[in-house]
Amino acid sequence: MIKKALTKSTDLLILDYLNTRMNLTKDDKQNFENLKRGYEGEVIFNSMTEKLECDCLILNGLLFEINHTKFQIDSLIIMQQLIYLNEVKNIEGDYFYENKKFYSINEKERKDPLLQLDRCSSLLRQLLQYLGFPIPIEPWVVHINPEFSLYQAPRNEQIILPTQVKRYINKINTTPSKLTSKHERLADQLLSLHIVKSPYSILPAYTYDQLKKGIVCQVCHSFMVFLRGKYCVCGKCGHVEEVESAVLRHVAELRLLFPDRKITTGTVHEWCQVVECKRRINRILERNFNLIGDRRWVYYE
């Protein structure tokens, strides 16, 4: 049972929007690509764990703090007698271990996922002790990308290679487990301690005026969108979306990018541009939001 579904982080959502509407610097672009690749790997792993038929509780994308130290968890699977802790990696290319260090094939030292796993495991054990539920942890680095190869892999380490992922999932699925209300309480306690806003946020500075305006295709992210009756049609990939759905999608984008900016008919009209009729925008906002204020001071929440 999925107790906490996988969702895109706020940083990834914002960078995705900004990547479409402005030119990101090389570093910001790299940060965006890394977050995107990591999320895509978690999506693949999540698509496998959500099919588990054993008695378990699955929590995805967690951020905790214990003893003034924060740590992230990609996937946690609570079983009767143990917890599977999964550090999901979507790394592509050839890598190797040498002298207990992790290198890419061009012999550049990289951040070792095993060290990250050890740190995470230790902090999770401390958190479980604090909660009065010292259940054993089985931690694994799960390499999900089929284009990943690891040479000189250390023996007896907690590494799952791409060719082993299906067997690993089957191992979890066949682990005897019968959960009780204690496990449910543990999951609820963990969820209550989850930190929603990440302290590791690294976002570029941006302003409303510098961002490109217009409706963006939901599929290919193109600005080549035009209106045809009650639909928005992408001139690049042909994707069709109802105007109301597209407007609401862009209101959500606007609210995330500029949380302090009031949502008004004029602002949404300017942001979307393709919908020329302000009255049409106004009707959509009235149907989906609460009207605040009076006359020219009206906005929506």
Side-chain angles (χ1 to χ4, degrees):
M1 173 186 173
I2 296 179
K3 193 76 175 177
K4 182 181 181 297
L6 178 65
T7 57
K8 280 187 179 181
S9 68
T10 300
D11 276 19
L12 179 54
L13 285 170
I14 290 176
L15 284 169
D16 201 359
Y17 294 146
L18 294 181
N19 185 54
T20 303
R21 296 187 181 273
M22 65 181 281
N23 293 320
L24 296 177
T25 65
K26 183 179 179 181
D27 287 345
D28 289 329
K29 190 85 171 177
Q30 187 62 57
N31 183 32
F32 168 56
E33 292 298 334
N34 289 341
L35 289 175
K36 183 180 176 184
R37 189 182 306 114
Y39 175 73
E40 289 170 349
E42 291 174 40
V43 167
I44 295 170
F45 186 69
N46 182 69
S47 70
M48 302 176 79
T49 58
E50 68 182 6
K51 296 174 184 175
L52 288 171
E53 297 177 350
C54 57
D55 197 3
C56 66
L57 295 171
I58 304 170
L59 294 83
N60 297 300
L62 298 164
L63 175 62
F64 296 124
E65 181 175 357
I66 184 73
N67 298 328
H68 307 292
T69 304
K70 293 182 175 65
F71 65 104
Q72 294 175 306
I73 294 176
D74 293 334
S75 168
L76 209 61
I77 303 175
I78 300 174
M79 312 288 287
Q80 180 183 351
Q81 299 292 341
L82 80 160
I83 292 177
Y84 288 101
L85 167 62
N86 302 292
E87 180 69 33
V88 182
K89 293 299 177 186
N90 190 21
I91 306 171
E92 182 178 316
D94 297 326
Y95 293 79
F96 66 93
Y97 274 97
E98 191 169 277
N99 299 323
K100 296 184 178 180
K101 293 180 181 178
F102 187 60
Y103 296 91
S104 59
I105 202 66
N106 58 7
E107 300 188 355
K108 287 187 178 180
E109 186 175 352
R110 303 296 184 181
K111 189 174 181 180
D112 188 353
L114 287 174
L115 294 180
Q116 188 177 350
L117 184 70
D118 286 344
R119 176 182 180 274
C120 191
S121 301
S122 173
L123 292 169
L124 180 59
R125 277 192 293 271
Q126 294 175 50
L127 180 59
L128 292 173
Q129 273 192 322
Y130 168 76
L131 294 174
F133 205 108
I135 184 172
I137 299 169
E138 189 170 307
W140 293 96
V141 174
V142 182
H143 289 283
I144 202 76
N145 195 313
E147 298 300 319
F148 172 82
S149 294
L150 181 61
Y151 302 98
Q152 300 171 204
R155 296 180 65 185
N156 303 319
E157 290 289 0
Q158 304 297 96
I159 299 173
I160 303 293
L161 298 174
T163 54
Q164 301 171 317
V165 175
K166 287 184 179 179
R167 275 177 282 163
Y168 173 56
I169 294 296
N170 186 59
K171 171 191 171 183
I172 297 174
N173 209 27
T174 54
T175 301
S177 179
K178 188 172 178 59
L179 301 184
T180 66
S181 58
K182 287 174 60 178
H183 298 90
E184 286 282 355
R185 283 198 300 273
L186 172 62
D188 289 337
Q189 284 180 297
L190 290 173
L191 286 176
S192 71
L193 294 172
H194 167 62
I195 302 169
V196 177
K197 187 172 176 59
S198 173
Y200 309 120
S201 179
I202 305 175
L203 293 171
Y206 59 92
T207 65
Y208 177 83
D209 290 335
Q210 79 181 99
L211 299 187
K212 185 175 180 179
K213 311 299 188 294
I215 286 181
V216 177
C217 175
Q218 193 174 21
V219 175
C220 71
H221 293 184
S222 165
F223 281 95
M224 296 171 59
V225 175
F226 60 92
L227 257 61
R228 182 184 291 160
K230 64 176 184 178
Y231 297 101
C232 290
V233 181
C234 177
K236 184 176 181 180
C237 74
H239 177 69
V240 177
E241 181 181 15
E242 287 192 356
V243 171
E244 182 158 339
S245 172
V247 169
L248 293 176
R249 182 164 56 84
H250 284 72
V251 169
E253 176 185 18
L254 195 54
R255 294 174 84 174
L256 185 62
L257 290 173
F258 304 100
D260 297 327
R261 195 179 188 95
K262 285 183 168 53
I263 300 300
T264 66
T265 300
T267 299
V268 175
H269 178 262
E270 182 181 42
W271 188 251
C272 294
Q273 289 198 347
V274 175
V275 186
E276 296 180 358
C277 180
K278 277 191 176 183
R279 189 175 296 175
R280 190 173 192 178
I281 295 283
N282 189 59
R283 285 198 297 267
I284 292 172
L285 295 177
E286 285 183 346
R287 278 196 296 270
N288 293 277
F289 300 97
N290 294 320
L291 184 69
I292 308 293
D294 186 37
R295 297 183 181 177
R296 66 192 184 97
W297 306 113
V298 163
Y299 64 97
Y300 296 87
E301 286 186 351

